[in-house]
Amino acid sequence: MLSATSAGEHSSRPATVTALLARRPMKRARDDETEQHLQESCVSLLMRHQNTSELLLEITSHHKIRSISCDGYEGLEHNTGIQTSVLENELRRRSEQMGVPVGLLSARVLLENIEDLITQTDTNTEHVLLNTKQRSDVCALLKSAQVLMSAGIFSPELLWQEYWKLQPVLEVIYHLHTHNILTLDFMLERDAAVSAWITDQLKALCASMKTTPDDQQIRHHILSTVVCVLVRRAFEDSAHNLSQTCCWILDSMISWLLDSLSVKGTETSAAGFWVQVFDVSVFGGCVTEDTLQRFFTHTLMRVFTYRPIFKVSDVIAVQSEWSFAKTLPLLTALFSKICLVFSVECVLSQMQQVLETHEVNWRHILSCLSHLLIYHSQTQCCLTDLLSRLLRSAFDSYDVEKMITLFLLARQASLEGPAVFPPYSDWFKLSFGGSSGYHAKSKKSTVFLLKFLSDLVPYEPPQYLKVNVMHPPYIGGKYRSLLQEYITLAKTRLRDLKVSLEETGIFEVVNGSAGVVECPAQQDVEKAVTLFMTTNKVPATVIEASIFRRPYFLSRFLPALLSPRVLPVKSDARMVFIEALRKADKIPAALYTSYTESCRRETYRQKEGVCESSEDDHLLVLQEQFLHLRRMMTDGATDGDVCAQLSRISLTLRNVCADEETGSDVITLNRDSPDSAHAAVANLILQSFCLCLLDASKVKPPNRQGSWPSVFVKALLAHRGLVSALIHRLWDLLQYQGSALSAAHVLGLAALQVELHYCRHACPPVRLMGSSAGALSVSECLSDALICSTRSHMALCLRFCVAVLSYGLCRANAQSEELHNFIPERLYKKAQYVMARLVPETRAHMSDEYESDLHTEASDLTGRVEESAVALWRNTQIRSLKKQPQYQLSFSEWLSSELHVQRSRDALTDLERQEYEQWACEQYYLHMSEHDGGCEGDVTRICARIITAVLDRHTASRTGGSSHEHTDGCLPDLLSLLQAVLYEVAVTRLNTSEETGHFLWDVIDNRCSVTPDPDSIGHKLSYQQTLDDISRVLVLVPPVMLLTVRTDRTGRRTLDCQRMMKHISHVQRRACLPAGLLSFQLTAHFFKAVVSGSVSCDRPVEAVNACLSLFNTECPLLPLSAACWWTRLSAALSSQWKRLTGRDALPEQLQMLEDSHSWSRRVGAGCAWPVPSAPSWLLAACLHGSLRRSDCEMENVRRLARQLHETDRQVLLFWFVSSVTELISTHLNQQAAGCLERVRDVSVCLLTHLVDDSDWLLLFDQSGSDHRLSHFLSRVMSPQTLRLMPFAFYSILRGVESELLTGAIRSPGFLYSAAVSYRELSRLFLNAQPSGGLQQQVLLEARRVLMSSISLSSPDCLTLSQRRQLQSEYEQLDSEISAALSSFRNAPFT
């Protein structure tokens, strides 16, 4: 301050320059004084009694002189010349007075003011930052110092000497640097202790707790400025004398940072503030790009090599704790900023170089690798290449360190889940599972690998040991013992760790060349249940496992089978299988009781919403994490940040859904019993995905949202149990709760479907429980959940398909990939079906009648669903998928879908459905090429495809194609359409080839070419159902198409009935019920075909006679059936013949049927009538049918039997055949059980008159002789009937009297026939299900009859070869019978 005294008055208070000047009159006459003279007078006045230090402070703080902005401090204003001159003069005067250099004096004055400002206004001991007032005053002082320095009376060097003796403040140093008074470079050069001081000051700056915006801003400026200087001097020129010093400071700071991160929970905000140093924006333009690269490279190496305290053994053991989700946030932030300036290849290259040349901190190395995998999608490819190079190099030089590096890096990558890297098991199998691996090149390589794996065993976590054992490396045969030693060692270690390991499942076939192959218990359970459903028996493999592999059966198989679940109301296959095992005493009572109790608890838990507290806690964490993810979507977070959050969610999911290591590659979808495990988590995930999609779509459209949805899905795929729950939940939503889904739900689920298809190679395949079909990808399986059987189902399918195609189109365009990578094949086919069905406007676009648009506007897809469907089909990309065969809905697939529509609940009216089906057949598929699934203009192909679809309509439900089989389908509509097309073919047949009609038999014969397994009830029922459908189709075919009219060499046209005969003999004969008879509809249709076809021949009568004569000799089943149905058939055939030919007289063969029927009717009534000229079997069939219809008394049967015995024994023999056939049919038909006694009595009566002739035994001959009777039986009886002949044989013998039985025994060949029949009867009972009491009685009675026959037979009744054959067969079957047969050993043989 300044002190002054005037002549007029005295003031005790010192006056300021402003006060003194203010006392002058404002308007004073200047006379002739110039402004220069006035200035000199003021200066002279001010020089008296002046305090220099206070003068400097006063000048710099005057409000008219100082002008400070928020961003910096400007210089003095123009009108400060007076004060500056005063200050300069005073400093010079005092310098001369004190004998001190003016530079030193000015430095001391400046420091005194700075020190006073700090000590008077701040008691803070941090001495890093100034407060706002201090900052403004110091900056003002420094501005004055700049002026003094420009005047040459201020020395920065002397200032530094004086200031270093005090306690420097970092912010003051910063201001000295920014005002170009003292630079940091100068300070660092002048004193070595400055480096340590700066380090401490930087740590204190980071730890500063001041939080005002101004303080935060100045902290950032100070840090940026200091670091820029340090980086520039350290890395711009390595030869600079400050390079080492600045590098040491930076290393000290990074060490301090890493020390604070060494233990989880010790990271501080101070360390977080220093991480900001690695923001590229901090350096602005003050550091060159090359310098920055060198700095970051040095820092990365410093991080990798800092304190290598972990031994490799420790790393192997605790590596799983260093995944991305468990990495400290600050360390993650550090890697995020450092790696930002490098490519992934560069970082991995530096990592490899450090690993090869330095001791490293494995925690930092592996954490950095996890960060790269999460934040950079290209890391997987780059890392795979690095691992391949390491693998090759390790075996080239047999370098153990490279092998350690290889395994640690691969395992670390696998920790992040399949979203970013394949599982460890896949990598291990790919690297060492084949014969082409590096380890299999030589014995040395093999030994090197096995020794390395053996050395790891004491330290490895059990999950890796299990993978190595279950998927061992490929080892050649000569060195298998070495592999076995390793496996034994690993198993021992697992036992020590109390980790169970079952090498193979009960259904697994172990390949010796590949070692032990994994087959988990869950997969065994699924296979066992499937086999049980097919055979209705507990698989023998399961029974054997319960005995020979009891530890596995009790500890793995049964727990997997008896996992708690909500039991369905109606027992499903799994429950029936469990009950079968319980009844067989294969499930311990305690275990079964525990299972039932657990199921009850699970049911209660789901009904009441009860959850375990730990699960509740994890769910709350999950909810918070998903909420944070939604906020990130709304804020437009980067893909890397989203991936990081998803990695944390994945870690929480691992805690919630602790997957049992089943190792099964297939998920079994139980359509009837949803997966109750993790249901709450699955619902939360689905809800969160939908909400995230909606939130993200509010900010950006789907084509600009990045790849977060696919990363979301890949993160879920790491949890197999959760994936199973999600699939079950999605199936349930799409198939059963579709009507309750809102538009947002449909959009979210559609997007999830698209992403699942995009990630299909990482998804485990899915197999439908109870289905014989193979496993499908998740997206294709879920597409099958969309059914189109009712109006509501079709509406959901339309909405869902439109959403999938729209979203998939956006994603494909956004990622510049092919559309097929986003659209499931089956869903695209459903889209073709449902859109064409419900939206007629799309049909023209599907038929390519309109030109397509290259690009569909997004606005076109936001209107009504129908409008969006039309817009989609106008799009070139959508329509181009049809050109790929796997995406084209073929005519056969269209027919299958149409057959599953319920007519009563269809979205179309009957007329609309008829129009749609006609469009599909005649306008769409008829002209489509066969390569695309069409018919290429061939009408016969349409007929063939419709017939095939009708025959296949039950197959879909049996193979899992649909779980909704019903009778109210569109079969009548398609059959009507088929009939119309067939008649079109029939009408145009005269102008086509003679082979036209054969397409029908080709289709039918192809379906019946495989005969069913006689021991499989399921196969037989399926085959019978197919035959019923064939018969239904055949009666719709115009009869004239069943035969072909051929022209022989002489030019005559004749009937060719070979295909029809073949069908009847080889197909229809197998399904004849009652035995030996075709149905009336088929019989009438076949005969109408003969009559109708004969009209096209030159001589119709001869054509009919020739055709039916051929049937009599080659296919007697048709005439036999006609004889049975002649009462109803004759009138129709007579009318047709007369209508077509105008003749009353029937052809000879038809008249023969009429005469045979008349003869049987009259003979049965007791009238004498001449025997017509007809085959014996035809007469016998007519007689048997006539007597059965008239229900005649037994006395009449005996009379006719005696009469035929005397007149025509062949008719009597074939009558016996018909009676035996009826006996078998009666046994098979439980409703006809009341007629059994009467039918048996007739058979016994007929046998009474045939017993003296051994021809009747040929009926029961199982040796396949060439006798006429055996030949006849093979043409009219089904295989099932022939198999039951031994049963009929003994069923009849049970009813005969002893005298008749004795006479029968004496018949030649009786004993051999009886023995063979009993053998076949025993086998029949052994292969059959438990039988009723009557059948058991027949078996016991048969044995009694056989034993009696053996005792009453003479030794010469069997030849030597027959006796030996029977003895060998009965040794295992019945030892007592074998002993009885051996009684003939001393008798002479013929």
Side-chain angles (χ1 to χ4, degrees), residues 895 899 944-955 971 974-975 978 1007 1029-1030 1032-1033:
L895 288 168
L899 282 169
R945 302 283 172 80
I946 295 178
I947 293 172
T948 302
V950 171
L951 301 183
D952 285 339
R953 65 193 178 97
H954 300 292
T955 307
L971 179 62
L974 293 180
L975 290 179
L978 171 65
R1007 293 306 308 272
D1029 290 337
I1030 289 175
R1032 187 172 185 176
V1033 170

Side-chain angles (χ1 to χ4, degrees), residues 322-608:
W322 297 341
S323 64
F324 176 83
K326 297 180 180 180
T327 302
L328 298 177
L330 283 182
L331 188 58
T332 300
L334 176 63
F335 286 130
S336 298
K337 297 178 185 302
I338 294 178
C339 296
L340 188 63
V341 300
F342 302 110
S343 64
V344 173
E345 294 88 344
C346 182
V347 176
L348 291 179
S349 176
Q350 292 183 45
M351 186 181 296
Q352 182 181 7
Q353 181 181 359
V354 171
L355 286 168
E356 292 175 350
T357 57
H358 294 75
E359 291 291 329
V360 298
N361 186 314
W362 277 107
R363 181 190 179 196
H364 295 164
I365 289 279
L366 299 178
S367 297
C368 180
L369 179 64
S370 291
H371 168 268
L372 291 175
L373 287 165
I374 294 297
Y375 276 87
H376 303 280
S377 58
Q378 67 271 31
T379 305
Q380 178 180 348
C381 180
C382 298
L383 179 60
T384 302
D385 293 341
L386 173 60
L387 294 178
S388 299
R389 293 194 302 270
L390 282 173
L391 181 62
R392 181 176 60 252
S393 177
F395 278 95
D396 286 345
S397 58
Y398 300 105
D399 192 332
V400 175
E401 291 188 359
K402 289 183 178 178
M403 286 291 288
I404 292 173
T405 301
L406 172 73
F407 273 75
L408 289 179
L409 294 182
R411 290 178 178 181
Q412 184 68 23
S414 67
L415 286 177
E416 305 308 328
V420 295
F421 198 81
Y424 172 74
S425 57
D426 292 350
W427 174 81
F428 191 82
K429 286 187 290 186
L430 184 64
S431 301
F432 306 107
S435 59
S436 60
Y438 296 107
H439 67 285
K441 300 297 184 183
S442 64
K443 178 181 179 180
K444 186 175 181 181
S445 299
T446 300
V447 172
F448 171 69
L449 174 63
L450 292 177
K451 184 179 185 305
F452 172 77
L453 293 176
S454 299
D455 292 340
L456 292 184
V457 167
Y459 315 105
E460 281 198 285
Q463 64 267 27
Y464 297 120
L465 279 175
K466 292 179 70 173
V467 169
N468 296 350
V469 171
M470 289 179 170
H471 306 282
Y474 173 86
I475 302 298
K478 294 188 295 184
Y479 312 119
R480 297 286 297 171
S481 59
L482 300 177
L483 174 63
Q484 196 57 45
E485 290 177 5
Y486 166 71
I487 292 177
T488 303
L489 178 64
K491 288 182 180 179
T492 303
R493 174 62 178 166
L494 286 172
R495 282 194 296 269
D496 295 341
L497 296 173
K498 299 185 178 350
V499 176
S500 62
L501 173 67
E502 184 63 30
E503 297 170 11
T504 58
I506 60 178
F507 289 99
E508 184 71 16
V509 178
V510 178
N511 185 346
S513 63
V516 183
V517 181
E518 176 184 5
C519 184
Q522 185 62 38
Q523 194 168 349
D524 285 342
V525 169
E526 295 163 2
K527 288 184 179 180
V529 173
T530 301
L531 286 175
F532 177 78
M533 291 180 62
T534 304
T535 63
N536 203 26
K537 296 179 181 178
V538 176
T541 311
V542 176
I543 301 297
E544 293 171 359
S546 68
I547 300 172
F548 302 109
R549 299 190 59 191
R550 191 165 181 79
Y552 170 80
F553 184 79
L554 293 178
S555 64
R556 300 294 300 278
F557 181 82
L558 286 183
L561 176 65
L562 302 177
S563 57
R565 63 185 182 123
V566 178
L567 299 179
V569 177
K570 183 181 178 181
S571 296
D572 58 5
R574 194 185 190 100
M575 292 176 65
V576 177
F577 178 62
I578 291 172
E579 185 63 19
L581 285 178
R582 189 182 69 84
K583 290 181 178 179
D585 292 332
K586 298 300 180 183
I587 302 178
L591 183 60
Y592 183 79
T593 301
S594 174
Y595 163 69
T596 55
E597 290 294 331
S598 299
C599 290
R600 277 195 288 269
R601 284 196 301 269
E602 184 68 18
T603 303
Y604 171 77
R605 187 184 71 81
Q606 290 221 354
K607 286 182 178 180
E608 301 297 329

Side-chain angles (χ1 to χ4, degrees), residues 67 261 277 303 331 409 554 1200 1245:
S67 178
L261 300 178
V277 164
V303 173
L331 188 58
L409 294 182
L554 293 178
L1200 289 173
C1245 176

